[in-house]
Amino acid sequence: MRRSRPSRPALRALFAGAALCALAAPLAAQRAAATTPADARRLMEAIAHDSLEGRLTGTRGAQKAAQLIAREMRRIGLQPAEGDGFLQRVPIVMMPGRNGGPLRPALAPAFAALDTVPAERRPEAANVIGWLRGTDPALRDEYIIVGSHYDHVGINAARAVDGDSIFNGADDDASGVVAMLEVARQLKAAPPKRSVLFVAFVGEENGMTGTRWFIQHPSRPLAQVVADLQVEMIGRPDSLAGGAGKGWLTGFERSTMGEALAAAGVPIIADPRPAQNFFSRSDNYPFALEGIPAHTISSFGGHADYHGVNDEADRIDYDHIAAVINATAKAVRLLGDGPRPEWKPGGKPERRAP
């Protein structure tokens, strides 16, 4: 007897069911790997530890932080993005501060420019980069960048509080590094269709030096980068974002990224403090200037410990940060599996004329 052919509605339902089943498995694996408050605390207490001496670019503490992050990337199972290593060296020169102040790190135009600089003024500095290969043969050559900056402002005895002069930068931005690493761990359990570059940038506090060098010397062609999502200062809830577990996105109105993520259930809103110009004050901005839809997730509410000695690991809300990390992991999966975000008319920033 001839087998009856299924109707078109039945076929559509069958294919839709198959697509949902295909998506359900990676989502279930990602949920099983969800970040807990204890996971976040473990990394936070390591990255914001006194032994890293405030992670000022070019110092021993920042170099130790880079090695710590590279070890964590290796433990997670990311692939090195720089040949056989996770470190992308960045040419840094220590320059006098304003009005003859202490030496501060600055980006040299090339490593050759350091040849005539005294050894004590050309310290080691590096971005830390790992990557996860996408699963879709048609999309795996496209990349999502998930980034955060690991540097902070170091030690300042003149601003010591109760004998503590180490500016640990737990919220700014050890919290973002914790998120970047935890998102990598979650997605390693079930990679998205597109590939993902996970980058801990050096030098954000000193003119975004690590990001600028990366853009000049990208680990993957910038033309293949679909979106950049930075994570910065998510360690404490922001009442204007809705409180615990909620965040906001810089430049929300500039591209389709924010609306698409929010519509899919990611708990983010538009930046509630646009007058602060946060969109142009984080590592997303150099990518945006290259034409890449690039934004930063944050929950910074203007707390008094910003760039202060009391930005410590014991002031982080670990239930909140774990929730925001899990929301960020969902956002990265949506970016990795879904439509490319696009700039809205007038949303892409333009370079200023010289």
Side-chain angles (χ1 to χ4, degrees):
M1 184 175 67
R2 184 183 178 189
R3 182 180 301 172
S4 61
R5 300 178 65 182
S7 65
R8 288 186 177 180
L11 284 172
R12 284 197 294 267
L14 180 64
F15 289 139
L20 287 173
C21 289
L23 185 60
L27 286 176
Q30 184 173 329
R31 282 194 296 269
T35 297
T36 67
D39 294 328
R41 183 185 291 272
R42 176 186 71 84
L43 286 171
M44 176 63 69
E45 291 181 345
I47 298 167
H49 195 269
D50 279 356
S51 63
L52 271 58
E53 301 174 338
R55 307 187 307 276
L56 177 67
T57 297
T59 64
R60 178 183 59 181
Q63 293 157 9
K64 290 173 66 176
Q67 294 292 340
L68 184 159
I69 295 165
R71 287 196 299 272
E72 193 67 21
M73 286 184 173
R74 185 176 296 109
R75 187 189 70 82
I76 289 168
L78 299 183
Q79 298 299 309
E82 293 293 308
D84 59 354
F86 291 94
L87 302 185
Q88 180 191 44
R89 293 179 61 225
V90 177
I92 293 294
V93 58
M94 303 301 286
M95 301 291 290
R98 293 178 181 174
N99 301 318
L103 294 177
R104 306 295 293 176
L107 182 65
F111 281 100
L114 301 178
D115 290 347
T116 58
V117 177
E120 65 272 14
R121 287 181 51 198
R122 43 184 171 89
E124 294 288 329
N127 295 322
V128 192
I129 312 171
W131 74 289
L132 186 63
R133 186 171 178 78
T135 59
D136 189 313
L139 294 177
R140 64 173 51 139
D141 288 334
E142 297 181 353
Y143 290 84
I144 308 299
I145 293 177
V146 180
S148 57
H149 73 90
Y150 70 88
D151 65 297
H152 196 49
V153 298
I155 297 174
N156 189 337
R159 293 179 59 198
V161 176
D162 297 328
D164 183 5
S165 60
I166 300 175
F167 289 66
N168 296 96
D171 194 22
D172 184 17
D173 186 31
S175 67
V177 178
V178 170
M180 181 269 296
L181 290 170
E182 279 294 295
V183 170
R185 183 184 62 79
Q186 290 191 36
L187 294 186
K188 182 65 172 63
K193 295 177 181 179
R194 293 185 175 94
S195 297
V196 186
L197 278 173
F198 296 94
V199 190
F201 291 103
V202 73
E204 189 268 358
E205 302 287 0
N206 303 102
M208 304 181 194
T209 54
T211 303
R212 286 158 52 206
W213 183 257
F214 177 92
I215 285 173
Q216 295 170 27
H217 305 85
S219 297
R220 300 293 185 273
L222 292 182
Q224 295 174 221
V225 177
V226 170
D228 167 67
L229 184 64
Q230 300 291 323
V231 191
E232 180 154 9
M233 301 188 74
I234 59 166
R236 308 187 193 188
D238 181 4
S239 61
L240 295 187
K246 307 293 178 60
W248 43 266
L249 193 74
T250 64
F252 187 101
E253 72 289 348
R254 290 174 172 266
S255 84
T256 59
M257 184 189 295
E259 291 175 355
L261 296 180
V266 178
I268 55 170
I269 63 168
D271 178 0
R273 301 173 182 83
Q276 294 292 324
N277 297 315
F278 287 126
F279 176 73
S280 62
R281 291 171 55 186
S282 192
D283 284 309
N284 65 284
Y285 193 63
F287 289 101
L289 289 175
E290 295 296 321
I292 298 166
H295 304 267
T296 296
I297 285 181
S298 183
S299 66
F300 177 53
H303 61 72
D305 294 333
Y306 171 68
H307 278 203
V309 75
N310 288 322
D311 185 6
E312 301 271 15
D314 62 5
R315 299 199 176 193
I316 297 298
D317 183 327
Y318 288 99
D319 290 326
H320 164 72
I321 193 174
V324 175
I325 290 170
N326 291 328
T328 302
K330 180 177 181 178
V332 177
R333 175 164 297 283
L334 290 165
L335 293 171
D337 287 346
R340 299 170 60 127
E342 303 288 346
W343 293 110
K344 293 182 178 179
K348 183 174 75 69
E350 303 296 336
R351 297 183 189 278
R352 293 179 180 177

